[in-house]
Amino acid sequence: MSTRFSGEGNIGSAPDYREFTSGNDEPRRLLRLNVYFDNPVPTRDGYEDRGGFWAPVELWNSEPDWAKLYQKGMRVLVEGRMLREEWEDAEENERVTFKVDARRIAILPYRIESIRLSPKQQEIDSQPQPAQPETRPKQAAGAREPKGAKAKE
C-alpha cells in the first residue's frame, strides 16, 4: 500500500549512505534520512506542534556526495510515496512502520550560512550568455508607423 506524500520536516540524525552491488551491474545507491515532519499550529504564545511524526526517508539512486550535503537539523521538503512496512522486533512482536520512498528531497533555506556550487555548475554559470536579437513587434497590415519613427532595412 502506498500513497503520495509531500511534507516539510527536520533531519534528525546524520544521513546514512549505502551502495549495493550485484554482479556487473552498476551499484544501487541508497541515502536514508530520519526526518521529523512537524505540524505547527498557531497558539497565543506562538506555535505548538500537534500531530508531528518521525519517518525514515529513502532516496534511491542518489549520488555519494549527497550524504555530505544533508545534515542533522536541516529543514527539508520531501516528495514521494508513503509506504506501509510490516516487520518483527527482537521479541517477535509484529510492528508497522510508515516510510517515505522519496522522489526528491529539497533543502529549505532555513539556518543556511553559505552555498557553494560545484566546479561544473560554476563553469556553466560563468559562461557569457548569447546576445538576444532586438525584436520589434509586428504591425498589422495597413498600420502606419508612429510619427518620427524610422523604418529599418
Side-chain angles (χ1 to χ4, degrees):
M1 174 178 102
S2 71
T3 186
R4 273 191 187 168
F5 176 81
S6 177
E8 263 187 52
N10 290 352
I11 299 174
S13 57
D16 179 26
Y17 176 80
R18 296 181 186 186
E19 285 189 5
F20 302 95
T21 56
S22 60
N24 296 335
D25 295 335
E26 189 165 325
R28 294 192 66 207
R29 300 179 184 110
L30 173 65
L31 178 67
R32 297 186 85 186
L33 303 173
N34 194 20
V35 178
Y36 183 76
F37 295 99
D38 54 0
N39 182 30
V41 176
T43 63
R44 290 182 190 166
D45 302 325
Y47 287 91
E48 179 181 310
D49 183 35
R50 292 190 192 153
F53 61 96
W54 286 97
V57 175
E58 293 184 349
L59 181 63
W60 286 93
N61 301 320
S62 59
E63 295 295 323
D65 294 339
W66 292 1
K68 297 177 213 163
L69 181 65
Y70 296 101
Q71 299 174 13
K72 179 180 178 178
M74 188 176 276
R75 188 81 175 166
V76 292
L77 173 66
V78 179
E79 293 181 2
R81 298 180 311 147
M82 181 71 78
L83 302 171
R84 182 176 190 264
E85 206 169 67
E86 297 178 10
W87 54 284
E88 286 184 1
D89 63 14
E91 288 84 37
E92 298 184 5
N93 297 320
E94 290 187 12
R95 301 287 194 160
V96 175
T97 300
F98 288 91
K99 74 174 183 179
V100 180
D101 180 16
R103 191 165 171 222
R104 66 179 57 103
I105 303 171
I107 297 171
L108 299 177
Y110 302 103
R111 299 187 306 233
I112 300 288
E113 291 181 15
S114 68
I115 297 173
R116 188 173 58 107
L117 297 176
S118 67
K120 187 175 183 178
Q121 183 64 38
Q122 288 175 351
E123 289 172 17
I124 293 169
D125 290 344
S126 65
Q127 290 179 357
Q129 299 297 319
Q132 297 294 324
E134 189 176 320
T135 58
R136 291 178 65 196
K138 293 184 179 180
Q139 292 187 351
R144 295 177 24 181
E145 288 282 330
K147 200 170 195 178
K150 293 182 180 179
K152 289 187 177 180
E153 294 184 28

